[in-house]
Structures are given as C-alpha cells and as structure tokens.
C-alpha cells in the first residue's frame, strides 16, 4: 500500500511525499529465506516546473529517500544502506489520438545511494482516454545498478484502467509484472489505487 501526497507551493513548485507498506519474501537458495513486512522507505522531495505550456511540461525533481523495510530488496538484503538522494528530469506532452485525449511522459532518474551502488532509472507512461471518464495507462519501469559485481538490471510493465468518479476522485485497477531482468526478484501482482484531486 502506497500513499502519495503532492501540494503546489506555487505555480512552478510542488512538494511531494511517498509513504508505503510492503510485505514480501526472497528465496536466495535452500538455506536462505528472507521475509519482510513493514514501512517501506519514506520519500520527500520537491519538483520545479522549468517549462509549462498548454500541452508540454518539463520539470526537475530533487528528493531524499529515508531507510525502511525492504528498501533494497530489488537486489540486496533488506536493511542494507541508509539515506539515498534522487535527482530526476521529467518531461510530458498531451496530444489527441483519433479525437481522444492522450499523453506521454518520461522520467530519467539518478539515485545516489548510501552504502549501495548508485542507480539509473527510466520510467515511461502512455495514457489514452478511451471513453468519457475512462482512461487506459501503459507504464514501464527500467533500471540498473552501477558499480555492482552482479550488474542487476530490470524492466517492469504495468497496464491499468482509471475511472473518474465525480470531480475529485479516480479509481485505478491494473496489473504489474517484471518483464525481464538479471539478479532481481520477479514482481507480479495487481495494482489498485484511489486518487483524489484537490
């Protein structure tokens, strides 16, 4: 379960937080089985809009990720490491496809990790309004750990449907799965979210 919060401080500056709870299991071999449950890392940061046009936006983000359960479970035992720093460049554009509203968005991030190899990440999202109040999202999350002997890499995909309910609420349901990777566990499961605009 994840809770995202964003609040605009000005037309260009937004502060955001991310808090979540996680449960999982890692089976390294017959003799090593790790189970974990609890609060995942807390992320706090700010996003600044560099370009704001009617259909195009570019922003930069800086934040800190504070240690939590399952923090490095992508490719290392939970609990290893401490506070990370993240820098991110975001760019998005909305368009019309066959008369329907659509958008594309990409984010490139560099994570400076304490006690772990740094990471490069690329996230991409395409969204299309398929009917009034209905939207389909297709997302991809890719990354790699640098200066690590195992050279972990991963690519995850997610497909979901978002339904607007009233003026301020949206409900999301979908599926996320690891598509390919090396030295990373396989993620697979449903995605459910409740969005509130304010």
């Amino acid at each position: 379960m994840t809770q995202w919060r964003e609040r605009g401080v000005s037309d260009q500056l937004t502060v955001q937080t991310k808090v979540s709870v996680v449960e999982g299991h890692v089976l390294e071999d017959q003799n090593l089985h790790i189970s974990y449950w609890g609060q995942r890392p807390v992320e706090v940061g700010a996003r600044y809009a560099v370009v704001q046009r009617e259909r195009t936006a570019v922003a930069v983000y800086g934040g800190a990720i504070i240690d939590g359960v399952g923090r490095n479970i992508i490719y290392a035992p939970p609990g290893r490491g401490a506070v990370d720093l993240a820098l991110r460049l975001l760019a998005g554009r909305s368009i019309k496809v066959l008369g329907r509203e659509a958008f594309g968005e990409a984010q490139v991030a560099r994570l400076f990790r304490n006690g772990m190899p740094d990471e490069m990440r690329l996230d991409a999202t395409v969204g299309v309004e398929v009917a009034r109040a209905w939207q389909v999202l297709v997302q991809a999350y890719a990354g790699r750990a640098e200066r690590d002997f195992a050279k972990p890499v991963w690519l995850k995909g997610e497909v979901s449907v978002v339904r607007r309910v009233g003026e301020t609420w949206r409900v999301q349901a979908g599926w996320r799965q690891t598509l390919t990777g090396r030295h990373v566990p396989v993620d697979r499961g449903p995605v459910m979210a409740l969005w509130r605009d304010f």
Side-chain angles (χ1 to χ4, degrees), residues 67-178:
D67 196 10
V69 173
R71 169 178 176 270
N72 301 304
I73 209 61
I74 288 179
Y75 55 84
R80 185 175 165 195
V83 177
D84 301 333
L85 298 177
L87 292 178
R88 191 174 287 262
L89 175 65
L90 309 88
R93 181 166 175 80
S94 63
I95 60 173
K96 282 190 178 285
V97 176
L98 300 175
R100 297 286 186 183
E101 289 291 339
F103 74 92
E105 181 251 6
Q107 302 182 23
V108 178
R110 173 84 173 178
L111 272 66
F112 301 92
R113 311 200 70 187
N114 185 336
M116 295 285 293
D118 293 345
E119 292 180 12
M120 287 296 297
R121 295 186 180 181
L122 173 63
D123 302 339
T125 303
V126 173
V128 180
E129 182 187 75
V130 294
R132 182 177 173 81
W134 289 90
Q135 186 179 60
V136 172
L137 297 180
V138 179
Q139 298 172 276
Y141 308 95
R144 76 165 189 244
E146 301 182 346
R147 297 191 303 277
D148 185 90
F149 74 93
K151 304 295 183 197
V153 296
W154 59 92
L155 173 62
K156 301 178 183 182
E158 181 178 312
V159 178
S160 58
V161 176
V162 180
R163 169 77 161 109
R164 181 176 288 279
V165 181
E167 294 297 318
T168 59
W169 294 94
R170 282 180 278 179
V171 179
Q172 178 183 5
W175 185 266
R176 178 182 291 190
Q177 182 164 328
T178 300

Side-chain angles (χ1 to χ4, degrees), residues 170-193:
R170 282 180 278 179
V171 179
Q172 178 183 5
W175 185 266
R176 178 182 291 190
Q177 182 164 328
T178 300
L179 302 175
T180 186
R182 182 177 65 231
H183 298 293
V184 293
V186 175
D187 287 345
R188 186 171 46 240
V191 174
M192 293 173 287

